[in-house]
Amino acid sequence: MATARLDYVAPWWTYWMHNFPHFNLSFQPVENTFRPEEANYQQSLVFLACMAAAGLALSVLLLSTYLTCLCCCRREEEGETKRPDSCCVSWTAVVSGLVICSAVGVGFYGNSETNDGVYQLTYSLHNANHTLGGINNLVSSSLDSIEVVLQQHLNRLDEIFAKRGDYIQSLRFMGQMADNIIRQLSAVPDLGKANVDLSYMADQAAYVEYYRWLTYLLLLILDLVICLVACLGVAKQSKWLLITIMVFGVISLVLSWASLGADTAAGVGTSDFCVSPDKFIVNRTKSFLSAEVSHYYLYCSPSLPNPFQQSLTIFQRSLTTMQIQTQGLLQYSVPLFPTAERDLLGIQRLLNSTEFNLHQLTALLDCRSLHKDYFDALMGVCYDGVEGLLYLGLFSLLSVCAFCALLCTVPRAWTVMASRERDYDDIDEEDPFNPQSRRVAYNPSRASHVHSFCSYTSSLGSQTSLHPPPQVASNLPTSEYMNQSMLFGGNPRYENVPLIGGGSPPPMVRWPRPLEARSLV
């Protein structure tokens, strides 16, 4: 069953990032072809990273200007009694926290996508490295067997068959077939250079990716912790928490700009490669691979002939001819020369193992295996990898905006807290309407006196011979009545006490005198 052809098509976001302006550090335009070994191209990527540094400088300048204006406005408004609006501060902090949380979620997804893409790249490179290593091992082992071991057997047989010219002629013919096999194996390109490059690339990619993934993970956790501490500081109105937020917010702002610059440079460089990867690989491997072989593995098209087909065919025919000659010598020469059997059997085993290596070599030299590894590597880098870098760039951009808003909110929250403390300090402690003074002035002894007075009046009303005194209507204003009610702790038991009037004592009750007292008078 034929395997479907894998055609690579670069995604649209790689073309978008490929079209980013490329300038060197001298502000001269640079061609956007992927050439990592050239200094101008390296400078163009550094220039993109420096754009993030310029954005950091601009954001720091704007924050400094805002804080300076805030301090000046605060000095001008110190004499005013208007309290700053805390609602705006709270909502700004809440929105900034939500944006940071959303950015962290986007960052986790982008970090995972980039890690998956790099993992797929390293996995494909290791597979291709295994394939190339297998080809090199098969070619080298086959050459050693033909050049060394087979030649030793032929030399000994030449001495044994010295008196038989026909047998010597068969040995000479086998030697010619062995030379054909050596020439065809030597025509196979030496893939050791590519093998070393792929192994080095896979190791370096895995090493860099591990620390990149770990760095972004710590940055995401730091942003999330700062978001939680910011919400806690605004809710509890803690100044030391606000100071902590201010310090770590500046650090996170710097790290966010740095990550944005690194993501942009890495994304643009990778996109330059992904737009035309075939051209870069052909130029990179032209020192040890011909263009015909490179195109065969890069495109793996049925219209492209296998460049190793002719060599493999000659190899197979020569090997078959040698096996026929060896079988004939075993059949006719061993009865006459028994000592030749050992060498002839050795040649037969060698040819069988070489034929097995030939079948393996034919399978490994087929383009489908290496082309699939190449396709998987491109899909991992150009789809998952670059897409993850775009999400990480979005995370950095959202974090920058959120932390700028959060850093602008912290001084306003500090002003609100200072205003509340100033208003609290301006309250007179001897003011009877101050809640703190009421807590200090209230004591159980006074409460007991009030309670006894009320109990006495209530006991008077319980006598059957006397009527309770009429209630004195109070003309106090509602606010004064409520304040006096609050003075007694808000207990409704004391609301009807007439002593709280305009400071006058309660009305005197005239009791009827007994009859004995009247007669004496």
Side-chain angles (χ1 to χ4, degrees), residues 95-109 220 224 227 394-395 398-399:
V95 172
S96 300
L98 292 176
V99 173
I100 292 175
C101 291
S102 301
V104 168
V106 173
F108 272 112
Y109 178 76
L220 292 169
L224 191 60
C227 177
L394 180 61
F395 150 73
L398 291 176
S399 298

mmCIF file with all atom_site columns, all heavy atoms in Angstrom, residues 95-109 220 224 227 394-395 398-399:
data_model
loop_
_atom_site.group_PDB
_atom_site.id
_atom_site.type_symbol
_atom_site.label_atom_id
_atom_site.label_alt_id
_atom_site.label_comp_id
_atom_site.label_asym_id
_atom_site.label_entity_id
_atom_site.label_seq_id
_atom_site.pdbx_PDB_ins_code
_atom_site.Cartn_x
_atom_site.Cartn_y
_atom_site.Cartn_z
_atom_site.occupancy
_atom_site.B_iso_or_equiv
_atom_site.pdbx_formal_charge
_atom_site.auth_seq_id
_atom_site.auth_comp_id
_atom_site.auth_asym_id
_atom_site.auth_atom_id
_atom_site.pdbx_PDB_model_num
ATOM 1   N N   . VAL A 1 95  ? -9.915  44.994 37.356 1.00 0.00 ? 95  VAL A N   1
ATOM 2   C CA  . VAL A 1 95  ? -9.747  44.764 35.911 1.00 0.00 ? 95  VAL A CA  1
ATOM 3   C C   . VAL A 1 95  ? -8.308  44.361 35.598 1.00 0.00 ? 95  VAL A C   1
ATOM 4   O O   . VAL A 1 95  ? -8.051  43.454 34.790 1.00 0.00 ? 95  VAL A O   1
ATOM 5   C CB  . VAL A 1 95  ? -10.157 46.026 35.132 1.00 0.00 ? 95  VAL A CB  1
ATOM 6   C CG1 . VAL A 1 95  ? -9.813  45.873 33.652 1.00 0.00 ? 95  VAL A CG1 1
ATOM 7   C CG2 . VAL A 1 95  ? -11.651 46.280 35.292 1.00 0.00 ? 95  VAL A CG2 1
ATOM 8   N N   . SER A 1 96  ? -7.341  45.008 36.254 1.00 0.00 ? 96  SER A N   1
ATOM 9   C CA  . SER A 1 96  ? -5.938  44.633 36.036 1.00 0.00 ? 96  SER A CA  1
ATOM 10  C C   . SER A 1 96  ? -5.686  43.198 36.468 1.00 0.00 ? 96  SER A C   1
ATOM 11  O O   . SER A 1 96  ? -4.974  42.440 35.786 1.00 0.00 ? 96  SER A O   1
ATOM 12  C CB  . SER A 1 96  ? -5.020  45.585 36.809 1.00 0.00 ? 96  SER A CB  1
ATOM 13  O OG  . SER A 1 96  ? -5.198  46.916 36.381 1.00 0.00 ? 96  SER A OG  1
ATOM 14  N N   . GLY A 1 97  ? -6.268  42.803 37.600 1.00 0.00 ? 97  GLY A N   1
ATOM 15  C CA  . GLY A 1 97  ? -6.115  41.421 38.049 1.00 0.00 ? 97  GLY A CA  1
ATOM 16  C C   . GLY A 1 97  ? -6.718  40.424 37.076 1.00 0.00 ? 97  GLY A C   1
ATOM 17  O O   . GLY A 1 97  ? -6.122  39.373 36.799 1.00 0.00 ? 97  GLY A O   1
ATOM 18  N N   . LEU A 1 98  ? -7.889  40.752 36.534 1.00 0.00 ? 98  LEU A N   1
ATOM 19  C CA  . LEU A 1 98  ? -8.508  39.859 35.557 1.00 0.00 ? 98  LEU A CA  1
ATOM 20  C C   . LEU A 1 98  ? -7.679  39.763 34.283 1.00 0.00 ? 98  LEU A C   1
ATOM 21  O O   . LEU A 1 98  ? -7.538  38.673 33.694 1.00 0.00 ? 98  LEU A O   1
ATOM 22  C CB  . LEU A 1 98  ? -9.922  40.353 35.228 1.00 0.00 ? 98  LEU A CB  1
ATOM 23  C CG  . LEU A 1 98  ? -10.958 40.249 36.357 1.00 0.00 ? 98  LEU A CG  1
ATOM 24  C CD1 . LEU A 1 98  ? -12.282 40.861 35.911 1.00 0.00 ? 98  LEU A CD1 1
ATOM 25  C CD2 . LEU A 1 98  ? -11.159 38.796 36.772 1.00 0.00 ? 98  LEU A CD2 1
ATOM 26  N N   . VAL A 1 99  ? -7.119  40.882 33.843 1.00 0.00 ? 99  VAL A N   1
ATOM 27  C CA  . VAL A 1 99  ? -6.278  40.860 32.644 1.00 0.00 ? 99  VAL A CA  1
ATOM 28  C C   . VAL A 1 99  ? -5.020  40.030 32.888 1.00 0.00 ? 99  VAL A C   1
ATOM 29  O O   . VAL A 1 99  ? -4.588  39.258 32.027 1.00 0.00 ? 99  VAL A O   1
ATOM 30  C CB  . VAL A 1 99  ? -5.916  42.302 32.222 1.00 0.00 ? 99  VAL A CB  1
ATOM 31  C CG1 . VAL A 1 99  ? -4.893  42.290 31.087 1.00 0.00 ? 99  VAL A CG1 1
ATOM 32  C CG2 . VAL A 1 99  ? -7.164  43.042 31.775 1.00 0.00 ? 99  VAL A CG2 1
ATOM 33  N N   . ILE A 1 100 ? -4.437  40.171 34.082 1.00 0.00 ? 100 ILE A N   1
ATOM 34  C CA  . ILE A 1 100 ? -3.243  39.381 34.404 1.00 0.00 ? 100 ILE A CA  1
ATOM 35  C C   . ILE A 1 100 ? -3.579  37.894 34.435 1.00 0.00 ? 100 ILE A C   1
ATOM 36  O O   . ILE A 1 100 ? -2.828  37.054 33.916 1.00 0.00 ? 100 ILE A O   1
ATOM 37  C CB  . ILE A 1 100 ? -2.639  39.852 35.736 1.00 0.00 ? 100 ILE A CB  1
ATOM 38  C CG1 . ILE A 1 100 ? -2.059  41.257 35.591 1.00 0.00 ? 100 ILE A CG1 1
ATOM 39  C CG2 . ILE A 1 100 ? -1.554  38.884 36.204 1.00 0.00 ? 100 ILE A CG2 1
ATOM 40  C CD1 . ILE A 1 100 ? -1.543  41.837 36.890 1.00 0.00 ? 100 ILE A CD1 1
ATOM 41  N N   . CYS A 1 101 ? -4.708  37.554 35.043 1.00 0.00 ? 101 CYS A N   1
ATOM 42  C CA  . CYS A 1 101 ? -5.112  36.141 35.076 1.00 0.00 ? 101 CYS A CA  1
ATOM 43  C C   . CYS A 1 101 ? -5.348  35.597 33.663 1.00 0.00 ? 101 CYS A C   1
ATOM 44  O O   . CYS A 1 101 ? -4.935  34.468 33.338 1.00 0.00 ? 101 CYS A O   1
ATOM 45  C CB  . CYS A 1 101 ? -6.368  35.977 35.924 1.00 0.00 ? 101 CYS A CB  1
ATOM 46  S SG  . CYS A 1 101 ? -6.117  36.250 37.692 1.00 0.00 ? 101 CYS A SG  1
ATOM 47  N N   . SER A 1 102 ? -5.989  36.400 32.816 1.00 0.00 ? 102 SER A N   1
ATOM 48  C CA  . SER A 1 102 ? -6.188  35.973 31.427 1.00 0.00 ? 102 SER A CA  1
ATOM 49  C C   . SER A 1 102 ? -4.857  35.830 30.696 1.00 0.00 ? 102 SER A C   1
ATOM 50  O O   . SER A 1 102 ? -4.650  34.877 29.932 1.00 0.00 ? 102 SER A O   1
ATOM 51  C CB  . SER A 1 102 ? -7.072  36.983 30.702 1.00 0.00 ? 102 SER A CB  1
ATOM 52  O OG  . SER A 1 102 ? -8.331  37.114 31.353 1.00 0.00 ? 102 SER A OG  1
ATOM 53  N N   . ALA A 1 103 ? -3.947  36.773 30.945 1.00 0.00 ? 103 ALA A N   1
ATOM 54  C CA  . ALA A 1 103 ? -2.635  36.696 30.307 1.00 0.00 ? 103 ALA A CA  1
ATOM 55  C C   . ALA A 1 103 ? -1.869  35.457 30.766 1.00 0.00 ? 103 ALA A C   1
ATOM 56  O O   . ALA A 1 103 ? -1.186  34.802 29.970 1.00 0.00 ? 103 ALA A O   1
ATOM 57  C CB  . ALA A 1 103 ? -1.828  37.955 30.619 1.00 0.00 ? 103 ALA A CB  1
ATOM 58  N N   . VAL A 1 104 ? -1.989  35.125 32.049 1.00 0.00 ? 104 VAL A N   1
ATOM 59  C CA  . VAL A 1 104 ? -1.312  33.930 32.558 1.00 0.00 ? 104 VAL A CA  1
ATOM 60  C C   . VAL A 1 104 ? -1.877  32.672 31.887 1.00 0.00 ? 104 VAL A C   1
ATOM 61  O O   . VAL A 1 104 ? -1.132  31.752 31.532 1.00 0.00 ? 104 VAL A O   1
ATOM 62  C CB  . VAL A 1 104 ? -1.439  33.854 34.085 1.00 0.00 ? 104 VAL A CB  1
ATOM 63  C CG1 . VAL A 1 104 ? -1.013  32.492 34.613 1.00 0.00 ? 104 VAL A CG1 1
ATOM 64  C CG2 . VAL A 1 104 ? -0.599  34.942 34.738 1.00 0.00 ? 104 VAL A CG2 1
ATOM 65  N N   . GLY A 1 105 ? -3.199  32.638 31.703 1.00 0.00 ? 105 GLY A N   1
ATOM 66  C CA  . GLY A 1 105 ? -3.793  31.500 31.004 1.00 0.00 ? 105 GLY A CA  1
ATOM 67  C C   . GLY A 1 105 ? -3.292  31.384 29.575 1.00 0.00 ? 105 GLY A C   1
ATOM 68  O O   . GLY A 1 105 ? -2.950  30.284 29.109 1.00 0.00 ? 105 GLY A O   1
ATOM 69  N N   . VAL A 1 106 ? -3.221  32.515 28.881 1.00 0.00 ? 106 VAL A N   1
ATOM 70  C CA  . VAL A 1 106 ? -2.689  32.509 27.512 1.00 0.00 ? 106 VAL A CA  1
ATOM 71  C C   . VAL A 1 106 ? -1.229  32.087 27.514 1.00 0.00 ? 106 VAL A C   1
ATOM 72  O O   . VAL A 1 106 ? -0.765  31.337 26.639 1.00 0.00 ? 106 VAL A O   1
ATOM 73  C CB  . VAL A 1 106 ? -2.865  33.904 26.876 1.00 0.00 ? 106 VAL A CB  1
ATOM 74  C CG1 . VAL A 1 106 ? -2.161  33.974 25.529 1.00 0.00 ? 106 VAL A CG1 1
ATOM 75  C CG2 . VAL A 1 106 ? -4.349  34.223 26.698 1.00 0.00 ? 106 VAL A CG2 1
ATOM 76  N N   . GLY A 1 107 ? -0.479  32.554 28.519 1.00 0.00 ? 107 GLY A N   1
ATOM 77  C CA  . GLY A 1 107 ? 0.932   32.194 28.600 1.00 0.00 ? 107 GLY A CA  1
ATOM 78  C C   . GLY A 1 107 ? 1.152   30.715 28.837 1.00 0.00 ? 107 GLY A C   1
ATOM 79  O O   . GLY A 1 107 ? 2.057   30.110 28.252 1.00 0.00 ? 107 GLY A O   1
ATOM 80  N N   . PHE A 1 108 ? 0.340   30.113 29.697 1.00 0.00 ? 108 PHE A N   1
ATOM 81  C CA  . PHE A 1 108 ? 0.460   28.672 29.930 1.00 0.00 ? 108 PHE A CA  1
ATOM 82  C C   . PHE A 1 108 ? 0.188   27.891 28.640 1.00 0.00 ? 108 PHE A C   1
ATOM 83  O O   . PHE A 1 108 ? 0.894   26.924 28.330 1.00 0.00 ? 108 PHE A O   1
ATOM 84  C CB  . PHE A 1 108 ? -0.503  28.227 31.027 1.00 0.00 ? 108 PHE A CB  1
ATOM 85  C CG  . PHE A 1 108 ? 0.073   28.328 32.408 1.00 0.00 ? 108 PHE A CG  1
ATOM 86  C CD1 . PHE A 1 108 ? -0.412  29.244 33.318 1.00 0.00 ? 108 PHE A CD1 1
ATOM 87  C CD2 . PHE A 1 108 ? 1.108   27.491 32.796 1.00 0.00 ? 108 PHE A CD2 1
ATOM 88  C CE1 . PHE A 1 108 ? 0.119   29.343 34.593 1.00 0.00 ? 108 PHE A CE1 1
ATOM 89  C CE2 . PHE A 1 108 ? 1.645   27.575 34.069 1.00 0.00 ? 108 PHE A CE2 1
ATOM 90  C CZ  . PHE A 1 108 ? 1.152   28.503 34.978 1.00 0.00 ? 108 PHE A CZ  1
ATOM 91  N N   . TYR A 1 109 ? -0.819  28.317 27.895 1.00 0.00 ? 109 TYR A N   1
ATOM 92  C CA  . TYR A 1 109 ? -1.123  27.628 26.640 1.00 0.00 ? 109 TYR A CA  1
ATOM 93  C C   . TYR A 1 109 ? 0.011   27.796 25.628 1.00 0.00 ? 109 TYR A C   1
ATOM 94  O O   . TYR A 1 109 ? 0.433   26.825 24.980 1.00 0.00 ? 109 TYR A O   1
ATOM 95  C CB  . TYR A 1 109 ? -2.421  28.167 26.055 1.00 0.00 ? 109 TYR A CB  1
ATOM 96  C CG  . TYR A 1 109 ? -2.794  27.554 24.728 1.00 0.00 ? 109 TYR A CG  1
ATOM 97  C CD1 . TYR A 1 109 ? -3.317  26.268 24.654 1.00 0.00 ? 109 TYR A CD1 1
ATOM 98  C CD2 . TYR A 1 109 ? -2.615  28.260 23.543 1.00 0.00 ? 109 TYR A CD2 1
ATOM 99  C CE1 . TYR A 1 109 ? -3.646  25.696 23.434 1.00 0.00 ? 109 TYR A CE1 1
ATOM 100 C CE2 . TYR A 1 109 ? -2.939  27.704 22.318 1.00 0.00 ? 109 TYR A CE2 1
ATOM 101 C CZ  . TYR A 1 109 ? -3.460  26.424 22.269 1.00 0.00 ? 109 TYR A CZ  1
ATOM 102 O OH  . TYR A 1 109 ? -3.774  25.867 21.055 1.00 0.00 ? 109 TYR A OH  1
ATOM 103 N N   . LEU A 1 220 ? 5.297   33.032 34.781 1.00 0.00 ? 220 LEU A N   1
ATOM 104 C CA  . LEU A 1 220 ? 3.835   32.926 34.884 1.00 0.00 ? 220 LEU A CA  1
ATOM 105 C C   . LEU A 1 220 ? 3.396   32.798 36.342 1.00 0.00 ? 220 LEU A C   1
ATOM 106 O O   . LEU A 1 220 ? 2.418   33.433 36.769 1.00 0.00 ? 220 LEU A O   1
ATOM 107 C CB  . LEU A 1 220 ? 3.360   31.716 34.086 1.00 0.00 ? 220 LEU A CB  1
ATOM 108 C CG  . LEU A 1 220 ? 3.500   31.812 32.560 1.00 0.00 ? 220 LEU A CG  1
ATOM 109 C CD1 . LEU A 1 220 ? 3.252   30.458 31.922 1.00 0.00 ? 220 LEU A CD1 1
ATOM 110 C CD2 . LEU A 1 220 ? 2.548   32.845 31.991 1.00 0.00 ? 220 LEU A CD2 1
ATOM 111 N N   . LEU A 1 224 ? 1.106   35.493 38.512 1.00 0.00 ? 224 LEU A N   1
ATOM 112 C CA  . LEU A 1 224 ? -0.100  35.065 39.216 1.00 0.00 ? 224 LEU A CA  1
ATOM 113 C C   . LEU A 1 224 ? -0.027  35.415 40.692 1.00 0.00 ? 224 LEU A C   1
ATOM 114 O O   . LEU A 1 224 ? -1.021  35.870 41.280 1.00 0.00 ? 224 LEU A O   1
ATOM 115 C CB  . LEU A 1 224 ? -0.278  33.554 39.028 1.00 0.00 ? 224 LEU A CB  1
ATOM 116 C CG  . LEU A 1 224 ? -1.616  32.960 39.477 1.00 0.00 ? 224 LEU A CG  1
ATOM 117 C CD1 . LEU A 1 224 ? -2.768  33.598 38.702 1.00 0.00 ? 224 LEU A CD1 1
ATOM 118 C CD2 . LEU A 1 224 ? -1.623  31.460 39.268 1.00 0.00 ? 224 LEU A CD2 1
ATOM 119 N N   . CYS A 1 227 ? -0.621  39.102 41.128 1.00 0.00 ? 227 CYS A N   1
ATOM 120 C CA  . CYS A 1 227 ? -2.048  39.399 40.980 1.00 0.00 ? 227 CYS A CA  1
ATOM 121 C C   . CYS A 1 227 ? -2.806  39.106 42.260 1.00 0.00 ? 227 CYS A C   1
ATOM 122 O O   . CYS A 1 227 ? -3.618  39.918 42.722 1.00 0.00 ? 227 CYS A O   1
ATOM 123 C CB  . CYS A 1 227 ? -2.620  38.597 39.813 1.00 0.00 ? 227 CYS A CB  1
ATOM 124 S SG  . CYS A 1 227 ? -4.386  38.788 39.562 1.00 0.00 ? 227 CYS A SG  1
ATOM 125 N N   . LEU A 1 394 ? 1.590   37.486 23.059 1.00 0.00 ? 394 LEU A N   1
ATOM 126 C CA  . LEU A 1 394 ? 0.339   38.071 23.533 1.00 0.00 ? 394 LEU A CA  1
ATOM 127 C C   . LEU A 1 394 ? 0.297   38.125 25.052 1.00 0.00 ? 394 LEU A C   1
ATOM 128 O O   . LEU A 1 394 ? -0.168  39.108 25.641 1.00 0.00 ? 394 LEU A O   1
ATOM 129 C CB  . LEU A 1 394 ? -0.839  37.260 22.989 1.00 0.00 ? 394 LEU A CB  1
ATOM 130 C CG  . LEU A 1 394 ? -2.240  37.728 23.396 1.00 0.00 ? 394 LEU A CG  1
ATOM 131 C CD1 . LEU A 1 394 ? -2.511  39.143 22.915 1.00 0.00 ? 394 LEU A CD1 1
ATOM 132 C CD2 . LEU A 1 394 ? -3.301  36.763 22.861 1.00 0.00 ? 394 LEU A CD2 1
ATOM 133 N N   . PHE A 1 395 ? 0.784   37.075 25.699 1.00 0.00 ? 395 PHE A N   1
ATOM 134 C CA  . PHE A 1 395 ? 0.870   37.090 27.162 1.00 0.00 ? 395 PHE A CA  1
ATOM 135 C C   . PHE A 1 395 ? 1.743   38.241 27.653 1.00 0.00 ? 395 PHE A C   1
ATOM 136 O O   . PHE A 1 395 ? 1.377   38.962 28.591 1.00 0.00 ? 395 PHE A O   1
ATOM 137 C CB  . PHE A 1 395 ? 1.433   35.752 27.647 1.00 0.00 ? 395 PHE A CB  1
ATOM 138 C CG  . PHE A 1 395 ? 2.202   35.834 28.924 1.00 0.00 ? 395 PHE A CG  1
ATOM 139 C CD1 . PHE A 1 395 ? 1.550   36.037 30.130 1.00 0.00 ? 395 PHE A CD1 1
ATOM 140 C CD2 . PHE A 1 395 ? 3.585   35.724 28.922 1.00 0.00 ? 395 PHE A CD2 1
ATOM 141 C CE1 . PHE A 1 395 ? 2.267   36.130 31.312 1.00 0.00 ? 395 PHE A CE1 1
ATOM 142 C CE2 . PHE A 1 395 ? 4.301   35.808 30.093 1.00 0.00 ? 395 PHE A CE2 1
ATOM 143 C CZ  . PHE A 1 395 ? 3.642   36.013 31.287 1.00 0.00 ? 395 PHE A CZ  1
ATOM 144 N N   . LEU A 1 398 ? -0.156  41.623 27.124 1.00 0.00 ? 398 LEU A N   1
ATOM 145 C CA  . LEU A 1 398 ? -1.215  41.811 28.117 1.00 0.00 ? 398 LEU A CA  1
ATOM 146 C C   . LEU A 1 398 ? -0.636  42.069 29.498 1.00 0.00 ? 398 LEU A C   1
ATOM 147 O O   . LEU A 1 398 ? -1.173  42.897 30.265 1.00 0.00 ? 398 LEU A O   1
ATOM 148 C CB  . LEU A 1 398 ? -2.120  40.576 28.146 1.00 0.00 ? 398 LEU A CB  1
ATOM 149 C CG  . LEU A 1 398 ? -2.995  40.331 26.923 1.00 0.00 ? 398 LEU A CG  1
ATOM 150 C CD1 . LEU A 1 398 ? -3.759  39.022 27.065 1.00 0.00 ? 398 LEU A CD1 1
ATOM 151 C CD2 . LEU A 1 398 ? -3.970  41.485 26.710 1.00 0.00 ? 398 LEU A CD2 1
ATOM 152 N N   . SER A 1 399 ? 0.442   41.384 29.830 1.00 0.00 ? 399 SER A N   1
ATOM 153 C CA  . SER A 1 399 ? 1.072   41.599 31.135 1.00 0.00 ? 399 SER A CA  1
ATOM 154 C C   . SER A 1 399 ? 1.622   43.007 31.248 1.00 0.00 ? 399 SER A C   1
ATOM 155 O O   . SER A 1 399 ? 1.517   43.639 32.310 1.00 0.00 ? 399 SER A O   1
ATOM 156 C CB  . SER A 1 399 ? 2.188   40.570 31.351 1.00 0.00 ? 399 SER A CB  1
ATOM 157 O OG  . SER A 1 399 ? 1.677   39.261 31.366 1.00 0.00 ? 399 SER A OG  1
#
